[in-house]
Amino acid sequence: MIASVFGELRLRPAAAFSLAVLACVAAQAASAADCPGHPDAIGTSRTIVVDPRQYPIIGTMQYGKTLPLEDHEVVLTFDDGPLPKYSDQILDILAAHCAKATFFLVGRQANDNPEGVRKVRDAGHTVATHSQNHPTGMDRLPLDRSRQEIEQGIASVTAALADGTAPAPFLRIPGLRTNDGIEKFAASKGLQIWSADFPADDWRNVSAARVYELAIKRLEAKGKGILLLHDIQPRTVTALPRILHELKARGYRIVHVVPATPERPATPTDPQQWRLHPASEMVAISRWPKIPRFAFASTAALPAPALSDLDWRNADLRARAQRRARSVPLPLITLWPRQMTLPPNRMLAALPIPAASIFRIPESSRVTMLARGPTAPTLRATEVSAKLAGQPRRHRGAAAVRPAASMAQPPEEANGTAPKPAAPARKNGRSVHVAGLKKR
Ligand SMILES: [Zn+2]
């Protein structure tokens, strides 16, 4: 049926185009201003029509592509319903905001509450599917079982709609646990697999306040995207009004997504608009670590880092990163040396002080290092090296400089035979106390 739908699309382009223009105009016109009796409603700013065959997998939690949203545009999605006790409240809240969403319904739930499926449709939301029985590890099931889950889910929701129409060819895999076989099968059926751009952890045992907080925080981190929620959770019912209110206050706009049909061709988009944005490390999901991005100006010239530069508590970051779902590029090997010889215990006292080698300038370069400040004298690099290597000091704190510095000192300096300070620095009778960055 879906195949024939897309076949007809090519046969009647003129009619389809004029209808599309009408649909776009109508969608643009819909806004909070058109939500009678609810002046504070966020409304639905526009509707986009997508062709699942063009982009069969979307959602930056797993894939490199997502919906072609503008900045500050949000698509609301609700999984696992219908469950009248909570789904009805979710529908009421959305109605009060004139906000349209996409519901990924479970076939078994649809069998139990067919009226709930029709309520979603009659309220103007997009009805999509989420398998028949919501298996938790669909990626580990034999492909035949997965196919059965998907097809039965669609059949159950179709039966519940009871008007001869089928649900939208949008599919969300339970727990997002998909695999290549499932993705290929879905694509062959003209289904679009929806991951998400960020969840709000509303299926976990967290408070409604936390759901609200995560939804807003993760949306702010990405600036736009598909929000994954569940309409069978009481905490979501509690959090949703506040989420919608805050979205409006922060200038976000709700976008409704519907599938292309012969009468309703896909909204024209540029492939670039479907590309992952922003970078993948901004993907927000609680079980994935956020990997900081480091900028290295000249990695080749850097000496070994001091112990103080390493956060040993994060030593397992790389291992955790490897557990991330596929398709999300990550810097698996950091630029820091992976193995490093720890200095002897007596050197640990030097922790607060960066290794002197970091500031060291190769002797051959003959560069003069300037310490700038109100009364800063000029100091030659060799003088710094000499002090770091153990020249007599007047300040107690200076002792802390010695150990870390020895890690990368050339032999002559480490042996206490460093070159003497240059003449100009000696002449003015002042020197810089490097350890404390004090001047005298
Ligand atoms: Zn689910």
Side-chain angles (χ1 to χ4, degrees):
M1 177 192 164
I2 292 163
S4 65
V5 159
F6 288 100
E8 286 173 37
L9 185 59
R10 292 183 210 99
L11 299 176
R12 298 187 291 171
F17 178 75
S18 53
L19 281 165
V21 170
L22 285 174
C24 284
V25 170
Q28 294 287 355
S31 68
D34 302 321
C35 197
H38 301 283
D40 294 332
I42 188 169
T44 300
S45 71
R46 66 175 181 131
T47 299
I48 57 174
V49 184
V50 305
D51 179 351
R53 289 176 185 266
Q54 272 187 308
Y55 297 96
I57 48 176
I58 56 166
T60 53
M61 278 174 66
Q62 289 171 288
Y63 306 116
K65 291 189 171 65
T66 192
L67 290 170
L69 300 175
E70 303 290 332
D71 187 41
H72 274 63
E73 286 189 337
V74 184
V75 171
L76 301 173
T77 65
F78 294 91
D79 291 7
D80 298 359
L83 188 66
K85 186 177 179 184
Y86 300 117
S87 301
D88 287 358
Q89 295 182 69
I90 294 286
L91 288 175
D92 288 346
I93 295 164
L94 292 175
H97 276 270
C98 294
K100 300 296 184 213
T102 298
F103 285 75
F104 292 94
L105 306 179
V106 173
R108 199 172 56 190
Q109 302 270 65
N111 292 341
D112 292 346
N113 307 289
E115 182 62 28
V117 178
R118 294 192 283 274
K119 279 184 188 171
V120 172
R121 175 200 61 196
D122 295 344
H125 302 293
T126 297
V127 175
T129 62
H130 191 42
S131 83
Q132 174 66 16
N133 297 294
H134 204 281
T136 49
M138 208 151 131
D139 55 332
R140 297 194 306 271
L141 290 181
L143 187 56
D144 276 357
R145 282 279 314 281
S146 297
R147 293 167 64 149
Q148 211 176 23
E149 279 289 338
I150 293 168
E151 287 178 325
Q152 279 186 1
I154 294 171
S156 295
V157 173
T158 302
L161 286 169
D163 61 356
T165 64
F170 301 157
L171 171 70
R172 183 168 276 152
I173 301 299
L176 310 180
R177 300 283 291 271
T178 184
N179 60 29
D180 287 348
I182 292 171
E183 286 166 8
K184 276 183 190 151
F185 171 70
S188 75
K189 299 284 286 182
L191 298 168
Q192 185 175 49
I193 292 186
W194 283 45
S195 181
D197 292 318
F198 42 89
D201 293 11
D202 61 339
W203 70 96
R204 296 179 192 276
N205 187 23
V206 298
S207 67
R210 180 67 177 153
V211 170
Y212 159 83
E213 186 186 304
L214 287 174
I216 300 299
K217 189 173 116 186
R218 289 168 176 174
L219 173 56
E220 287 280 37
K222 300 208 75 165
K224 61 179 180 179
I226 306 167
L227 172 60
L228 191 163
L229 294 168
H230 295 79
D231 57 314
I232 62 165
Q233 298 289 348
R235 63 180 68 86
T236 312
V237 171
T238 306
L240 187 58
R242 202 172 155 208
I243 291 173
L244 294 174
H245 184 266
E246 190 64 19
L247 290 184
K248 183 177 185 185
R250 297 191 184 207
Y252 286 94
R253 303 177 302 280
I254 302 295
V255 173
H256 186 207
V257 185
V258 297
T261 67
E263 298 77 27
R264 191 175 58 191
T267 303
T269 53
D270 189 300
Q272 187 66 26
Q273 292 174 264
W274 294 74
R275 296 279 294 276
L276 177 70
H277 180 82
S280 59
E281 62 263 36
M282 294 304 291
V283 173
I285 179 163
S286 58
R287 68 176 184 275
W288 291 339
K290 187 189 272 188
I291 309 294
R293 170 180 284 185
F294 296 107
F296 292 93
S298 56
T299 50
L302 280 175
L307 192 59
S308 55
D309 289 325
L310 303 177
D311 185 351
W312 297 101
R313 291 165 302 176
N314 285 344
D316 64 341
L317 271 184
R318 180 169 165 262
R320 291 165 68 195
Q322 284 174 331
R323 294 203 300 269
R324 288 185 67 160
R326 62 192 177 75
S327 304
V328 181
L330 265 181
L332 289 181
I333 299 174
T334 63
L335 293 174
W336 293 113
R338 274 174 289 166
Q339 283 194 326
M340 171 179 175
T341 307
L342 285 173
N345 279 343
R346 64 178 177 80
M347 294 179 177
L348 292 178
L351 272 180
I353 310 298
S357 56
I358 286 177
F359 305 108
R360 192 173 148 263
I361 293 174
E363 234 179 325
S364 58
S365 66
R366 300 287 178 206
V367 175
T368 298
M369 187 166 71
L370 299 177
R372 296 216 176 270
T375 59
T378 299
L379 184 72
R380 286 196 183 275
T382 47
E383 183 178 357
V384 175
S385 297
K387 282 187 169 290
L388 295 175
Q391 294 289 313
R393 299 175 184 81
R394 295 184 187 176
H395 297 277
R396 282 178 299 163
V401 175
R402 186 203 308 248
S406 66
M407 289 170 64
Q409 292 296 327
E412 70 274 13
E413 292 188 24
N415 292 340
T417 57
K420 289 181 180 176
R426 186 184 292 261
K427 261 183 200 167
N428 63 22
R430 298 192 295 181
S431 66
V432 171
H433 176 215
V434 177
L437 294 179
K438 287 178 185 170
K439 296 178 291 285
R440 64 179 171 86

